[in-house]
Amino acid sequence: MADVSQSPFPVSVKVVAGVIHNVHTDVAVLGFSNCVVAIVTQLASVGSIIQAVGTSSAASNQDAFYDAQSTVEQLASSADIPVEVKFVLGNSSTTAASSLYQVLATHIYQHRREQDPLDDRPLIIGIGLELPREYKISLLDDDAGQPDLGAFMLTMSAIAALVDECYAQ
């Protein structure tokens, strides 16, 4: 895995590359003060941009007084952190591919919050993935076939590992 890091001023930039199922994959994570931007591509371009924002009751209730330590413990022990996901650019239709992109954005956001429960910045993720035929994922709305989620989960885990490498730098 190749890795390149740049100075944290004004924005921290961390880049890694790897091979996932024989496909070169680039991941870049940019840490802004108000959000985290992640680019994940196997196509040297991005097809969709998705925003993932945590919707925990403690974070959304501005007027409530809460103990920060108990919130951290609650988030760290939670298997599923509620996330609102929406397409900013790209195909937001109900295709299997767009649904899997949403699952990937949710997974990466939740994993980042598990690693650092106090970091509640929104995640903006640009995604451009090769979706092999064996995944049985159609880009058409009217396809009645069922995608192979198990195959995609392996890819998603490998992508999450690359994103983790960026966070660890």
Side-chain angles (χ1 to χ4, degrees):
M1 311 251 169
D3 119 36
V4 177
S5 296
Q6 293 182 1
S7 170
F9 182 81
V11 175
S12 67
V13 178
K14 298 166 183 172
V15 178
V16 296
V19 176
I20 299 176
H21 306 297
N22 297 320
V23 179
H24 179 83
T25 307
D26 293 308
V27 175
V29 176
L30 296 84
F32 293 89
S33 62
N34 64 342
C35 69
V36 173
V37 176
I39 306 296
V40 177
T41 184
Q42 295 176 325
L43 306 171
S45 65
V46 172
S48 297
I49 297 177
I50 301 171
Q51 178 181 28
V53 179
T55 59
S56 70
S57 58
S60 63
N61 190 351
Q62 300 279 339
D63 299 327
F65 175 78
Y66 61 91
D67 178 23
Q69 184 59 36
S70 65
T71 302
V72 170
E73 290 170 4
Q74 178 185 7
L75 287 172
S77 64
S78 173
D80 291 321
I81 298 166
V83 180
E84 179 184 329
V85 178
K86 67 179 179 180
F87 276 80
V88 177
L89 293 171
N91 185 4
S92 63
S93 65
T94 57
T95 65
S98 64
S99 296
L100 292 175
Y101 279 8
Q102 290 176 347
V103 168
L104 177 62
T106 300
H107 177 75
I108 289 172
Y109 181 86
Q110 288 177 336
H111 189 71
R112 183 174 59 87
R113 285 295 301 271
E114 288 170 4
Q115 299 298 316
D116 185 358
L118 293 177
D119 185 0
D120 63 352
R121 294 175 293 173
L123 171 69
I124 309 295
I125 183 167
I127 306 173
L129 300 178
E130 256 185 46
L131 299 174
R133 285 193 176 284
E134 55 267 19
Y135 287 9
K136 301 176 188 165
I137 297 171
S138 173
L139 299 176
L140 304 174
D141 288 328
D142 59 356
D143 183 31
Q146 293 297 313
D148 182 355
L149 295 179
F152 185 75
M153 293 302 286
L154 292 173
T155 299
M156 188 169 67
S157 294
I159 290 169
L162 287 176
V163 172
D164 282 348
E165 277 188 53
C166 285
Y167 288 134
Q169 295 178 7

